[in-house]
Amino acid sequence: MAGPQMAGPQSGAFPGGFPGGPAQMAGPPQKKLDPDSIPSTTHVIEDDQAKRGGQVYVTNIRGQVPPLVTTDFTVQDQGNASPRFMRCTTYSFPSTADLAKQCKVPLAAIIKPFATVPKNETPLYIVNHGETGPIRCNRCKAYMCPYMQFMDGGRRYQCGFCSCVNEVPVQYFQHLDHMGRRMDLYERPELSLGSYEFIATLDYCKNNKPPNPPAYIFMIDVSYNNIKSGLVKLICEELKTLLDRLPQEEGAETSPIKVGFVTYNKILHFYNVKSALAQPQMMVVSDVAEMFVPLLDGFLVNFQESRAVVNNLLDQIPDMFADTNESETVFAPVIQAGVEALKAAECSGKLFIFHSSIPTAEAPGKLKNRDDRKLVGTEKEKTLFQPLRGVYEQLTKDCVAQGCCVDLFLFPNQYVDIATVGDVPSHTGGSIYKYSNFQVEVNGQQFVSDLRRDVEKSIGFDAIMRVRTGTGFRATDFFGAVYMNNTTDVEMAAVDCDKAVTVEFKHDDTLSEESGAVMQCALLYTTIGGQRRLRIHNLSLNCSSQLSELYKSCETDALINFFAKSAYRAMLNQPLKTVREILVNQTAHMLACYRKHCASPSAASQLILPDAMKVFPVYMNSLLKTPTLVGSTELSTDDRAFHRLLVNAMGVEETQVLLYPRLIPLHTMDVSSDAIPAPVRCSEERLSESGIFLLENGLSMFLWLGQACPPDLIQNLFNVPSLGHLSSEGMSLPVLDNAHSRKIHSIISSISQQRATSMKLLIVKQKDRSEMLFRQHLVEDKGLHGGASYMDFLCYIKSVQCLLN
């Protein structure tokens, strides 16, 4: 799956793609599999939690496979990066390109450089080498790390990546002990840990000048819809408290981040909120074709100093536009204004854009409705997801060059062309949020929670990342909310704790089983305090000429993250049908190769799966049924484009729960226990009429009520005597003073804290129309818009396995 093109179906592969259902299946007649005998994701998750949960995972062994992302564990860094920062598709690389080609298992790492470290784990150490800066290999420029081998009494070291022998700088010299290790090994994070930070010198700064602290600019669409829905008032109210919670440096009293405010419809309004003013001043720019910022002094301010003026402005904005009839908006000039303001202030930063409709007003970046559902299922379907270039492509370049990240909060009532308006955020390390048909009382809380987390989360700016590898292999492809100007530098206007970059590796020579495969991710960025730093993550893997070692060390959750991202990129250039065929082909090939080379001989009718990949087919089948890949005219183009952009930036834990949601029975729970009840398989067969189930996938949350729910349970949760008393429209879950209600709210709250975005709870009654929304997440069943059940998919893979062997 190299490059933007996915490799086409392999020779010798079965003809045609994966058919819709069992009726058209190829291969010999199937014996019906027993649903309980096929591999279960919930069992795999429970087993790993039972074996490795609550334990300390020590990173001192090369190539060890970490616990699953769903397992609760504590990491102790002893020389390799924590799996919170880096996970791999396999922890044992094949030693040759031929073996890699034979098994077709992609070799990739999913890197979340800013991942949140739990409170009970040590935060990253900061190393300061003063004016000389970090020690680096002269040849390959890798940074000092535990894989460097000291020699010659400590005067020289051999690089663990390119084997070049370097002189040790005089100020860094240290004697070696009888084992050849430096005496100060455990005092220096860069010699003993997998992850740490260096303070960067001026050579690492733009124009050799220390950077200024970043700025946050809030840009509010004040067109008719946003005023009428109460959104503008909600944003202004929320900002008054939120500006006190801007990110701070460790131990600092206040935040160094400056703030600025813009409102817009067809024209832009800038505000002077300088602390010396009695009232904020508005300045209007109506020439949106030649965007400029009409004021420098007083636009970006320190909130603590300008609090009175800013709060005054936030009180005034909703009233100022209360009588507006303007429904047209611009969009590209809004981003342009933000970039220009950051340029003028010589700082990086983030734009928070609150936008509601397709930008149809006369201006650069004007869009028209191109949502043509007749293209679904044709060769041209891919054009629906391709962003319109031109103005937006140039804006992306300008944003990245300035370290300007764009976060987009969308409130659409109809098509807004997310493929295009989401293009700048998705190349600048930004996030996209979407609240369709926004109503304050329905989605208000969800939006406010997202905005709070977005403003408060830990983040670095103006970042550039490089992944160096040992000899024999190299990083060839990168997937994420990033910008690539060349083939090696991953540029991110900002990088936060949720963003992950998936990196594919290819062989360029034979790998040595003795020295293994080493990689180093180096991220240069600006802190919120305006300090330039290098964050380093190192990881060492095994290499083997035995394919069984590779399969034993695979990580299904990392593999599916890679396949999702590479398929979502490939669909911009190839028909969806081809992309789906390739995914099925590659799944069949990976498993057939295992059967042929690693498994003991068995009856042809048996499905043979490697232990570490036994639930891979359920994830792959779920990926094939995602709205983005399924291709149905019933699905909104914007929803599909939105899903595509979201997945592109996800880490392993986010893709895991998205593709295999948690289905939690609540009717049998022990209200006195703190634990969340064990999830059941994601299938209709597991639901019961007398039950209540909670389903969540990190983006959506449902409470499903069976028709025969016990009335006392309904009374305890909803304060009504029976299910019949609940209206089907706009149901909500009240907070009541009883054990059941408290327990459910505590489960919902603890799930919400684990997830990157806020999930609005949808309550659905069995047999109601709204139940369809819930059912499309039961990924083991047949897809509502097409796509096979897990059972049918397994039978199909099995028949293909037989053909390939």
Side-chain angles (χ1 to χ4, degrees):
M1 286 204 186
Q5 288 281 335
M6 285 171 97
Q10 303 301 318
S11 54
F14 56 97
F18 178 48
Q24 311 134 281
M25 273 195 195
Q30 298 300 329
K31 277 209 299 251
K32 190 88 176 104
L33 290 166
D34 162 26
D36 284 323
S37 69
I38 61 178
S40 152
T41 302
T42 48
H43 284 168
V44 167
I45 290 171
E46 275 169 29
D47 286 354
D48 199 68
Q49 178 63 37
K51 277 191 202 122
R52 308 184 75 176
Q55 296 185 2
V56 175
Y57 174 71
V58 183
T59 71
N60 57 352
I61 301 167
R62 184 178 87 189
Q64 71 176 330
V65 182
L68 297 180
V69 282
T70 43
T71 297
D72 227 355
F73 61 99
T74 305
V75 180
Q76 193 181 7
D77 183 344
Q78 287 193 8
N80 284 294
S82 156
R84 303 193 201 289
F85 297 121
M86 291 177 89
R87 283 184 173 268
C88 295
T89 51
T90 175
Y91 295 85
S92 181
F93 276 15
S95 48
T96 65
D98 283 349
L99 278 172
K101 208 166 161 187
Q102 193 178 354
C103 69
K104 297 210 173 9
V105 174
L107 308 177
I110 295 92
I111 305 173
K112 210 185 234 189
F114 256 71
T116 305
V117 176
K119 288 190 169 43
N120 60 346
E121 291 177 15
T122 317
L124 296 194
Y125 285 97
I126 298 165
V127 179
N128 188 353
H129 284 314
E131 307 227 322
T132 55
I135 314 285
R136 303 177 70 176
C137 168
N138 289 328
R139 186 197 288 160
C140 74
K141 298 289 182 262
Y143 292 87
M144 182 51 69
C145 72
Y147 314 143
M148 305 299 191
Q149 202 59 52
F150 287 86
M151 56 211 311
D152 199 8
R155 283 186 292 276
R156 296 192 303 164
Y157 68 92
Q158 183 170 32
C159 173
F161 296 88
C162 70
S163 303
C164 170
V165 175
N166 296 270
E167 299 290 323
V168 173
V170 178
Q171 74 281 4
Y172 198 69
F173 174 77
Q174 178 59 263
H175 293 287
L176 307 184
D177 66 11
H178 65 289
M179 305 272 290
R181 291 179 310 199
R182 280 176 62 119
M183 306 288 271
D184 61 357
L185 177 72
Y186 294 109
E187 290 150 42
R188 289 196 178 269
E190 73 275 21
L191 300 179
S192 54
L193 298 177
S195 300
Y196 41 87
E197 293 200 316
F198 290 117
I199 289 181
T201 52
L202 288 178
D203 310 349
Y204 293 89
C205 302
K206 271 189 189 151
N207 310 325
N208 287 26
K209 272 182 11 195
N212 291 316
Y216 282 5
I217 305 177
F218 298 91
M219 315 183 92
I220 306 168
D221 162 0
V222 289
S223 61
Y224 177 74
N225 270 351
N226 284 0
I227 295 289
K228 193 182 71 172
S229 70
L231 173 68
V232 173
K233 192 169 173 41
L234 180 67
I235 293 169
C236 292
E237 280 305 309
E238 183 53 35
L239 284 178
K240 284 189 227 167
T241 53
L242 199 46
L243 294 172
D244 269 325
R245 297 176 15 201
L246 294 169
Q248 299 175 352
E249 288 280 38
E250 242 5 63
E253 290 289 298
T254 59
S255 172
I257 294 173
K258 291 207 156 108
V259 293
F261 304 89
V262 172
T263 54
Y264 68 94
N265 38 47
K266 270 191 349 193
I267 58 177
L268 276 75
H269 326 103
F270 294 79
Y271 296 93
N272 183 346
V273 282
K274 203 169 164 177
S275 58
L277 296 172
Q279 281 281 344
Q281 293 171 347
M282 178 202 268
M283 300 177 109
V284 177
V285 176
S286 47
D287 181 4
V288 287
E290 295 294 324
M291 202 60 237
F292 69 99
V293 179
L295 74 161
L296 287 182
D297 189 28
F299 176 63
L300 293 176
V301 297
N302 177 308
F303 175 63
Q304 302 305 335
E305 291 166 14
S306 291
R307 177 189 297 271
V309 196
V310 169
N311 283 343
N312 194 332
L313 169 69
L314 294 171
D315 282 336
Q316 288 180 34
I317 287 174
D319 299 335
M320 257 191 289
F321 299 98
D323 302 325
T324 186
N325 289 319
E326 186 53 74
S327 57
E328 282 202 305
T329 56
V330 296
F331 184 68
V334 180
I335 299 178
Q336 189 70 53
V339 179
E340 295 300 330
L342 295 178
K343 256 187 207 158
E346 296 187 352
C347 68
S348 53
K350 187 191 267 203
L351 313 181
F352 294 80
I353 302 180
F354 306 94
H355 188 83
S356 65
S357 58
I358 190 163
T360 53
E362 268 317 315
K366 171 184 172 178
L367 298 174
K368 54 180 193 290
N369 189 333
R370 56 188 188 110
D371 182 15
D372 184 357
R373 304 267 177 101
K374 291 199 289 294
L375 300 180
V376 172
T378 71
E379 288 278 318
K380 287 195 173 152
E381 182 173 6
K382 57 179 181 268
T383 60
L384 296 172
F385 304 101
Q386 292 166 355
L388 294 173
R389 298 284 179 205
V391 173
Y392 290 99
E393 198 165 19
Q394 188 54 48
L395 270 181
T396 295
K397 285 183 182 155
D398 295 349
C399 283
V400 172
Q402 190 53 43
C404 169
C405 164
V406 179
D407 274 4
L408 181 57
F409 293 81
L410 283 170
F411 305 87
N413 292 336
Q414 52 205 41
Y415 176 78
V416 287
D417 193 355
I418 286 181
T420 301
V421 295
D423 193 46
V424 178
S426 65
H427 283 95
T428 55
S431 304
I432 307 168
Y433 302 86
K434 176 163 147 309
Y435 314 90
S436 299
N437 305 314
F438 181 82
Q439 292 170 280
V440 171
E441 52 288 354
V442 179
N443 336 55
Q445 196 43 57
Q446 181 194 10
F447 158 61
V448 164
S449 304
D450 281 336
L451 178 60
R452 279 180 197 161
R453 189 172 184 281
D454 199 81
V455 168
E456 293 171 13
K457 67 185 169 188
S458 63
I459 188 166
F461 288 92
D462 203 8
I464 187 157
M465 181 175 105
R466 213 170 232 206
V467 179
R468 293 184 172 82
T469 54
T471 45
F473 74 117
R474 63 196 163 85
T476 55
D477 225 333
F478 302 86
F479 306 86
V482 300
Y483 180 73
M484 303 285 301
N485 199 17
N486 53 39
T487 54
T488 54
D489 295 326
V490 182
E491 295 183 66
M492 290 170 276
V495 55
D496 65 45
C497 53
D498 300 322
K499 299 293 181 297
V501 181
T502 299
V503 184
E504 186 176 15
F505 301 103
K506 290 265 164 58
H507 286 76
D508 47 19
D509 206 345
T510 300
L511 295 172
S512 136
E513 294 194 36
E514 187 190 342
S515 50
V518 290
M519 55 185 78
Q520 181 180 78
C521 160
L523 178 86
L524 175 65
Y525 73 97
T526 301
T527 67
I528 46 179
Q531 189 181 60
R532 208 71 177 134
R533 282 197 202 155
L534 283 147
R535 180 170 283 216
I536 311 292
H537 297 300
N538 303 290
L539 190 60
S540 61
L541 307 178
N542 287 332
C543 295
S544 175
S545 54
Q546 302 299 314
L547 282 178
S548 56
E549 285 301 312
L550 170 137
Y551 282 104
K552 210 188 294 175
S553 306
C554 270
E555 186 179 315
T556 286
D557 298 333
L559 275 167
I560 203 66
N561 177 284
F562 172 83
F563 278 113
K565 290 188 183 187
S566 55
Y568 282 9
R569 180 187 296 176
M571 63 183 277
L572 293 179
N573 304 297
Q574 288 167 281
L576 275 177
K577 184 170 176 285
T578 311
V579 175
R580 289 193 298 264
E581 281 174 14
I582 293 162
L583 289 171
V584 177
N585 276 332
Q586 195 157 353
T587 302
H589 267 278
M590 281 161 42
L591 298 173
C593 174
Y594 173 78
R595 180 179 189 136
K596 188 170 176 181
H597 298 284
C598 312
S600 42
S602 57
S605 63
Q606 256 185 309
L607 180 69
I608 306 292
L609 299 166
D611 199 51
M613 282 173 72
K614 66 181 172 206
V615 290
F616 181 73
V618 77
Y619 284 105
M620 178 54 81
N621 189 41
S622 178
L623 172 61
L624 292 164
K625 293 188 286 190
T626 52
T628 309
L629 284 183
V630 85
S632 156
T633 49
E634 290 166 41
L635 295 165
S636 109
T637 304
D638 267 349
D639 281 351
R640 296 173 69 200
F642 176 59
H643 191 93
R644 191 187 154 266
L645 294 176
L646 281 185
V647 168
N648 191 35
M650 280 182 179
V652 178
E653 51 275 59
E654 289 86 7
T655 45
Q656 184 279 324
V657 75
L658 181 69
L659 294 170
Y660 200 89
R662 281 204 286 188
L663 181 62
I664 302 167
L666 297 180
H667 48 288
T668 50
M669 66 188 177
D670 174 1
V671 288
S672 59
S673 148
D674 283 346
I676 294 178
V680 295
R681 295 178 74 145
C682 220
S683 161
E684 188 186 355
E685 285 181 354
R686 308 292 154 162
L687 301 173
S688 64
E689 288 206 338
S690 58
I692 293 185
F693 290 81
L694 187 75
L695 182 142
E696 67 99 11
N697 69 353
L699 300 180
S700 314
M701 188 183 268
F702 297 88
L703 189 64
W704 182 88
L705 310 171
Q707 274 176 315
C709 258
D712 57 332
L713 196 50
I714 294 293
Q715 178 70 52
N716 279 340
L717 296 182
F718 295 97
N719 207 18
V720 297
S722 72
L723 195 61
H725 288 77
L726 274 179
S727 81
S728 293
E729 293 307 308
M731 287 181 282
S732 64
L733 188 67
V735 178
L736 302 173
D737 189 14
N738 66 64
H740 267 105
S741 182
R742 281 192 294 270
K743 175 71 180 166
I744 284 199
H745 280 285
S746 113
I747 289 173
I748 289 172
S749 143
S750 74
I751 287 172
S752 304
Q753 282 164 8
Q754 297 169 5
R755 302 292 173 230
T757 48
S758 170
M759 296 177 280
K760 190 179 83 183
L761 180 69
L762 273 175
I763 298 168
V764 297
K765 287 157 67 170
Q766 186 179 8
K767 303 272 196 285
D768 261 11
R769 240 194 27 232
S770 60
E771 200 194 11
M772 293 295 274
L773 291 168
F774 164 79
R775 281 183 182 273
Q776 66 189 13
H777 298 291
L778 298 175
V779 295
E780 292 202 13
D781 301 341
K782 223 172 151 138
L784 293 185
H785 303 287
S789 70
Y790 173 33
M791 178 77 87
D792 290 343
F793 185 68
L794 267 186
C795 293
Y796 189 71
I797 291 293
K798 186 172 82 172
S799 63
V800 176
Q801 229 186 23
C802 298
L803 292 174
L804 290 173
N805 283 319

